Amino acid sequence: MSNHLEGSRNSCALHGALQLFEAIEGVIPVIHSTSGCGVQHYLGVTRLSGGNDPFSSPPVSSSNIAEKHVVFGGGSRLREQLKNTVKVVQGDLYAIVTGCSTEMVGDDIPAMAREGREQEWPVVYANTPGFSGDVHHGYHLALKALIEQLPGIWKRKGEFQTRLVNVWGIIPNQDPFWRGNLQELGRLLEGIGLVPNLLLGSEQGIAAWTQIPEAALNLVLSHWGKLPAGLLEQRYGTPSIILEGAPVGSAAVPLLRRLTEQLKLDQIRSEEFITREESLLNHQFARLADSYYRAGFQREFVLVGESAQVTGIGEFLGKSFGLLPRMLIITDNPPDNVQEALADRLSSIVSGYDTEVIFSEDRAEITDIIKTSDVQLILASSLEREVAVELDVPFLALSFPLDDRIVLDRGYAGYRGATALLEDIGSSILAFSNDRLFC
Amino acid sequence: MSPLRAKAPRSREKRLDTLGAWLGLVSAASTEFAGDDIAQRIRTFAQSSNDDLLYALRILAGIRDSVTIIHGPRGCAAAGLYHIAAGSNTRWVVTNLDERDTIMGADRKLRKSVVALYRRYHPAVVFIVGNPVIAINNDDIQSVVEELHEELELPIVPVYVTGFSSQNAVSGYDTALHSLLKYLSGNSATALKNERINLLAVAEHPQDRKEAQELLKQLGIELNVIPDDSTIDQFRLAVSARASIPLSPDAPEYLGAILDKKYGVPLINVLRPVGVEGTGRWLKSIATFLGNEEAAEELHEIKSAETALQLGDFSLKGIKTYISLSSANAFSVLDLLEELGGEVAGLTITHLDRLHVRHLNELALRNPSLQIHVSDGQAFEEISILRKLAPDLYLGDATHLGQVARLGIPVVSLESLAIVGYSGVVRLARRIKTALANSSYGLSLAKVNSPYQDAWFRRSHNWHIKQEVK
């Protein structure tokens, strides 16, 4: 039996599926649920993720079922809504997602999607009741729907593309920096001669999704990307490289070398690319040295976020930037075996220094833990601002939910992400020290 | 029988013939509401809109020293994060029901949560909020409330919203207010009346509330503000107050009516204090009740002179504005825009019902061809209407303003702009002036495509609004 959650930051399966579908250009989610589900998604997820919202509004189609549909079934209402969505809203693909109410009533969603297909409408469906799990589960349900159902709509000849790499595991909006992170990963792959299939974000539409089977490799950037990669391995035999988080800074080197080797790329080109990127990053480090020592950047910190973020950012700050990870609090609730592996890996980022690795998605519990940590820097979500103010330490909001940042293309992955992270952490420490100098 | 005996009040549709979908001229609306039989409308295509759960949460967000438990699946508490960001006082908790809970029931889980949260926070009150899952499942919240209320000596207030039993989110205000009165106000007024006046403020902008408080204070009136930013003791106090004055005739309507009917606290029936004249009328209504008209008149004269000075030569002459707001707000902003010399191109309001009849009748005489569109969140209809009307300015508080701006129309958001009172007039005028002075951002937005099919724009705006077949 699961426990109650305070200030839950992992919302529900319906919202996770919406986040994925909304991040693909031309995909129109059709919500079959009560009217408030889409508004909850907008207020509690989209708005708190830096302003990444594709339609400038809540989702654009929702059946808004009424009492009579709960009593007599809502199938006919969905039929009507789907038919009219195709007529009113421009889209390349319509994706039916369901809420708790219509699942409890037992509406036959596959039948409705099939009817739509018989009309030659491009329709997929995913059963996504909120009670079935959180956003990560919803991300999985939506991916599974696309991987399994798209080949039934668009049959591609599917010539194998030796340089094409599918990128999985970055969850739109649950990682507020998803656009920037994906773009940077794409830049790194291009730098060594690969063709990234980013699948989400600007200019990523159905064309990207229909070429998935043709890829040479799946690059998995979080635990949550393992499921789609596994499905593709089963269906098309596509091999995968699996990381627990997108690499930040020099952590990209082993990845780039492994890709070069595995896909038999031009080694000289890859090494030249790596050398250039490394040299640029080292110059960034050198340029902020004065501020670093003057304002005492080197301090013990706590980092709160999804496992992928905590792994990437935590290791970069510990291994390259001289900070001490006192506590890493992982909020995305990965399965037990993954938790063990993460705890093992992250508890000794800095040799000779113990890092506590904690798994929690409860705001009250996280707040209590931070209070006991005696840290001098808090990198977390906006929910932790309250405790940062109480402890009077510098604070940077970088995980979901974010209520006071605009994020358009900023990212914290790769080399450019490392630079952005140095800028943002440095700025928050300086602003904090300046405030205390002058007041 | 006490009106508070039921678990929840009747929906707005049943009490006030509330419509959530309608399009037509104000004269037609006035005629329709003159009759007895008002047919409900439904949509054959719809977009996400607020529900009673979301509106109930807006009220609970403002109760001090409280814990709000949404007894449901995780996503029903998503809006809690939004309220935390907006500075809400309450602790937001979800019982996180899983599939098994939806079959077997989860009152044990709820009981455990209440006890744990009581021990951690010792709050003044715990709210337990319903949702679609609990409503379909019929989970036994009531027995948890009764048992733990005795055991912990803690007020526990169940709020039976469902997400589907009313098609108008505003019913959620009524449901929350019903429970607050039922569980916190006692069965009857105390024998000893207090001298206070209840200021009924429901989900108002904090600055709007403060502006109203400030004005009444200048008339020497001692206030008891409920439910926004109130303690639970204030609900007890409210039933023995001298009178109630609402900050809006709509959102707190149920609260005012029950205080009047059940507890004998007279309700001053007055429109929203928006605009110079509207604010003056509001102040005079309470002053008349208290026999203090001269002071209100004097205050109004001073404040209106100040406001006129601050407005300078600002005028909306020649500017046609489209208004899209919650109903009471829309009608009062309409008056304000006319006061500033402007014209109103059309209205979208969240709901229309018997509470708005006097506006309809008055507008039907003054401007019978004004178009009224009733919709909450139906951006596709609004965009279609706006393309046709091409107003010079758009005032709204919905979450789809970005879509409107893509039409190249200057937009002013009232979602977080306080417009009550004399200072509200000045604040709004400044925002409008700024919006009209530079439309460069809107012109950039206009280069981004609309999400809608061209074929939709060739249909009539109300193509998807149909009379409900019973």
Side-chain angles (χ1 to χ4, degrees):
Chain A
M1 190 172 84
S2 51
N3 288 323
H4 74 254
L5 293 169
E6 184 179 331
S8 166
R9 62 193 86 198
N10 289 324
S11 206
C12 70
L14 169 61
H15 294 164
L18 285 170
Q19 276 162 250
L20 184 86
F21 287 133
E22 288 193 338
I24 306 168
E25 280 194 356
V27 176
I28 303 300
V30 179
I31 303 173
H32 184 39
S33 192
T34 48
S35 74
C37 288
V39 178
Q40 292 260 9
H41 169 70
Y42 188 75
L43 293 179
V45 183
T46 314
R47 261 201 179 172
L48 300 173
S49 194
N52 270 309
D53 114 63
F55 307 114
S56 298
S57 72
V60 289
S61 172
S62 173
S63 64
N64 299 359
I65 60 157
E67 187 141 21
K68 66 177 175 195
H69 306 117
V70 171
V71 178
F72 301 112
S76 59
R77 174 70 194 98
L78 174 59
R79 181 183 291 125
E80 175 183 70
Q81 179 70 16
L82 181 64
K83 178 185 84 188
N84 290 325
T85 301
V86 173
K87 288 181 185 163
V88 173
V89 188
Q90 296 185 33
D92 302 324
L93 179 72
Y94 299 86
I96 302 170
V97 285
T98 54
C100 299
S101 50
T102 54
E103 290 292 338
M104 288 174 82
V105 168
D107 288 346
D108 189 350
I109 309 302
M112 289 299 137
R114 203 161 46 238
E115 274 187 26
R117 284 259 195 101
E118 281 161 13
Q119 305 285 320
E120 312 231 315
W121 299 329
V123 179
V124 294
Y125 73 93
N127 299 90
T128 53
F131 57 68
S132 70
D134 69 4
V135 278
H136 307 91
H137 182 59
Y139 170 78
H140 277 170
L141 294 171
L143 285 174
K144 199 159 176 278
L146 290 171
I147 290 170
E148 289 175 351
Q149 296 170 44
L150 283 185
I153 303 177
W154 288 283
K155 289 164 197 74
R156 268 174 71 113
K157 191 159 150 270
E159 260 175 53
F160 182 69
Q161 303 186 44
T162 54
R163 294 283 182 266
L164 188 69
V165 176
N166 300 321
V167 180
W168 304 105
I170 293 181
I171 307 183
N173 286 4
Q174 193 66 15
D175 174 0
F177 300 91
W178 64 278
R179 281 176 191 271
N181 287 346
L182 278 171
Q183 279 165 19
E184 172 65 358
L185 257 304
R187 189 184 72 86
L188 296 183
L189 295 184
E190 278 167 0
I192 58 169
L194 290 171
V195 180
N197 197 19
L198 299 177
L199 299 165
L200 304 171
S202 304
E203 299 175 335
Q204 302 294 315
I206 293 306
W209 284 82
T210 50
Q211 64 174 348
I212 285 172
E214 298 155 22
L217 187 81
N218 296 305
L219 177 57
V220 175
L221 295 171
S222 78
H223 165 71
W224 308 107
K226 293 172 192 167
L227 178 122
L231 288 175
L232 295 175
E233 203 163 336
Q234 278 169 25
R235 293 176 79 99
Y236 309 110
T238 322
S240 303
I241 288 181
I242 295 174
L243 305 179
E244 293 300 331
V248 182
S250 305
V253 178
L255 171 65
L256 295 173
R257 288 196 176 132
R258 191 169 159 197
L259 287 164
T260 306
E261 196 184 301
Q262 197 161 326
L263 296 176
K264 301 191 174 57
L265 307 177
D266 178 351
Q267 217 162 0
I268 296 168
R269 176 181 173 169
S270 295
E271 286 305 320
E272 275 173 6
F273 180 72
I274 289 170
T275 309
R276 199 165 61 243
E277 293 294 324
E278 282 289 307
S279 151
L280 278 170
L281 179 61
N282 289 332
H283 277 94
Q284 311 285 33
F285 282 137
R287 285 158 63 202
L288 63 72
D290 175 51
S291 307
Y292 182 96
Y293 292 111
R294 175 169 53 90
F297 280 16
Q298 207 165 13
R299 41 183 86 201
E300 291 189 296
F301 68 94
V302 58
L303 171 59
V304 184
E306 301 243 310
S307 54
Q309 264 189 317
V310 165
T311 305
I313 294 173
E315 290 190 336
F316 170 70
L317 297 179
K319 287 181 189 295
S320 303
F321 200 47
L323 304 196
L324 295 167
R326 181 78 286 281
M327 262 175 194
L328 301 175
I329 302 176
I330 292 174
T331 57
D332 55 348
N333 212 5
D336 289 347
N337 61 328
V338 177
Q339 291 195 9
E340 278 168 38
L342 284 169
D344 214 37
R345 168 175 174 175
L346 298 174
S347 56
S348 53
I349 291 177
V350 179
S351 82
Y353 178 84
D354 282 339
T355 298
E356 243 181 291
V357 183
I358 292 151
F359 297 86
S360 175
E361 54 174 327
D362 182 79
R363 185 193 187 192
E365 191 179 25
I366 291 171
T367 302
D368 285 350
I369 294 168
I370 294 176
K371 275 187 193 166
T372 66
S373 68
D374 191 30
V375 291
Q376 299 159 300
L377 173 66
I378 295 178
L379 310 171
S381 81
S382 293
L383 293 173
E384 282 71 53
R385 189 188 301 113
E386 193 179 281
V387 64
V389 170
E390 195 185 319
L391 298 177
D392 197 30
V393 294
F395 169 74
L396 176 67
L398 48 65
S399 55
F400 178 84
L402 288 185
D403 64 22
D404 62 352
R405 294 191 66 176
I406 296 294
V407 184
L408 297 174
D409 273 351
R410 199 165 195 73
Y412 290 144
Y415 286 97
R416 290 190 178 162
T419 301
L421 199 56
L422 298 181
E423 288 173 347
D424 293 349
I425 293 177
S427 303
S428 67
I429 294 176
L430 288 183
F432 179 87
S433 342
N434 289 350
D435 282 351
R436 271 139 202 82
L437 268 180
F438 300 117
C439 68
Chain B
M1 195 176 85
S2 164
L4 295 177
R5 240 190 93 177
K7 276 166 72 174
R10 291 192 306 147
S11 69
R12 283 254 174 148
E13 292 91 310
K14 290 182 184 139
R15 278 198 311 120
L16 298 165
D17 290 320
T18 306
L19 299 176
W22 198 85
L23 180 82
L25 301 183
V26 68
S27 49
S30 166
T31 310
E32 180 151 357
F33 274 92
D36 290 332
D37 196 24
I38 297 183
Q40 280 293 318
R41 269 72 162 185
I42 51 165
R43 283 189 169 86
T44 56
F45 171 75
Q47 299 182 303
S48 296
S49 64
N50 285 294
D51 60 7
D52 59 349
L53 167 60
L54 282 156
Y55 269 37
L57 296 184
R58 288 186 183 184
I59 289 186
L60 303 182
I63 309 293
R64 287 198 212 169
D65 197 9
S66 62
V67 168
T68 296
I69 301 175
I70 294 142
H71 183 38
R74 352 177 28 128
C76 289
L81 293 185
Y82 162 79
H83 287 295
I84 292 171
S88 159
N89 293 305
T90 188
R91 296 278 159 191
W92 296 92
V93 178
V94 64
T95 48
N96 186 13
L97 301 187
D98 56 26
E99 184 145 24
R100 190 170 176 278
D101 297 326
T102 68
I103 300 159
M104 311 295 290
D107 49 309
R108 210 163 64 90
K109 200 167 185 174
L110 175 62
R111 197 174 279 115
K112 217 176 109 193
S113 302
V114 175
V115 173
L117 289 156
Y118 168 74
R119 292 205 179 117
R120 180 180 170 93
Y121 292 112
H122 293 284
V125 59
V126 169
F127 298 112
I128 298 174
V129 186
N131 49 75
V133 167
I134 290 307
I136 294 171
N137 221 14
N138 222 350
D139 232 34
D140 190 5
I141 292 180
Q142 200 59 36
S143 67
V144 176
V145 171
E146 279 158 23
E147 280 168 36
L148 290 181
H149 166 66
E150 295 226 331
E151 192 182 316
L152 306 175
E153 294 179 18
L154 167 77
I156 302 177
V157 179
V159 180
Y160 292 103
V161 284
T162 66
F164 55 75
S165 50
S166 168
Q167 289 300 289
N168 293 284
V170 67
S171 292
Y173 285 152
D174 301 353
T175 307
L177 293 165
H178 177 94
S179 295
L180 285 163
L181 287 170
K182 177 170 172 169
Y183 288 88
L184 301 178
S185 291
N187 237 330
S188 56
T190 49
L192 193 64
K193 283 261 179 190
N194 60 56
E195 281 304 302
R196 289 173 197 254
I197 300 292
N198 294 321
L199 174 63
L200 310 182
V202 170
E204 295 283 355
H205 189 291
Q207 210 172 338
D208 276 337
R209 189 183 70 237
K210 282 176 200 148
E211 172 79 9
Q213 279 174 274
E214 201 51 45
L215 288 169
L216 294 176
K217 226 159 76 187
Q218 291 190 40
L219 294 179
I221 298 171
E222 220 187 317
L223 290 174
N224 179 48
V225 185
I226 51 168
D228 284 359
D229 195 35
S230 64
T231 65
I232 63 164
D233 296 338
Q234 286 170 257
F235 286 90
R236 185 75 190 124
L237 211 57
V239 300
S240 305
R242 251 179 106 176
S244 305
I245 182 164
L247 203 39
S248 156
D250 195 328
E253 174 267 343
Y254 187 79
L255 178 60
I258 300 288
L259 284 172
D260 186 359
K261 281 185 208 132
K262 178 171 161 64
Y263 299 99
V265 181
L267 175 70
I268 295 164
N269 191 358
V270 62
L271 304 180
R272 198 161 162 69
V274 164
V276 173
E277 287 314 309
T279 305
R281 192 168 50 224
W282 190 76
L283 287 174
K284 280 174 228 166
S285 72
I286 177 80
T288 306
F289 177 84
L290 296 169
N292 194 10
E293 273 161 291
E294 277 164 34
E297 189 67 54
E298 200 182 322
L299 180 64
H300 176 62
E301 272 173 32
I302 296 170
K303 288 283 181 184
S304 20
E306 261 177 40
T307 309
L309 204 65
Q310 286 172 298
L311 286 174
D313 58 359
F314 178 82
S315 162
L316 283 176
K317 201 169 178 335
I319 302 290
K320 280 192 184 162
T321 305
Y322 194 87
I323 299 173
S324 172
L325 291 166
S326 69
S327 314
N329 233 346
F331 290 115
S332 56
V333 167
L334 183 145
D335 289 343
L336 166 57
L337 293 176
E338 290 184 348
E339 194 175 287
L340 292 168
E343 224 180 294
V344 172
L347 287 179
T348 292
I349 57 179
T350 48
H351 59 282
L352 181 64
D353 61 35
R354 299 214 173 269
L355 293 179
H356 311 120
V357 167
R358 59 178 156 180
H359 294 289
L360 294 177
N361 295 345
E362 194 236 332
L363 278 171
L365 289 174
R366 202 170 52 170
N367 190 359
S369 61
L370 182 74
Q371 181 180 275
I372 293 195
H373 170 227
V374 183
S375 132
D376 177 8
Q378 307 308 306
F380 74 109
E381 288 173 354
E382 249 185 69
I383 299 296
S384 174
I385 292 168
L386 290 165
R387 278 168 58 106
K388 174 119 184 282
L389 294 179
D392 307 308
L393 175 70
Y394 176 96
L395 292 188
D397 65 357
T399 46
H400 54 255
L401 299 192
Q403 279 190 26
V404 173
R406 287 186 194 184
L407 298 173
I409 301 168
V411 166
V412 169
S413 169
L414 298 191
E415 187 180 336
S416 49
L417 183 74
I419 56 161
V420 157
Y422 304 98
S423 71
V425 178
V426 178
R427 216 176 283 120
L428 180 63
R430 175 148 194 198
R431 257 310 165 86
I432 291 175
K433 212 165 151 180
T434 322
L436 293 174
N438 190 342
S439 53
S440 58
Y441 178 62
L443 292 176
S444 307
L445 287 180
K447 291 171 192 149
V448 183
N449 285 341
S450 150
Y452 306 113
Q453 305 273 20
D454 284 339
W456 158 240
F457 296 123
R458 291 193 289 272
R459 298 265 193 219
S460 55
H461 311 313
N462 60 354
W463 183 266
H464 290 289
I465 299 176
K466 309 280 182 218
Q467 280 212 11
E468 188 171 31
V469 187
K470 287 212 172 133

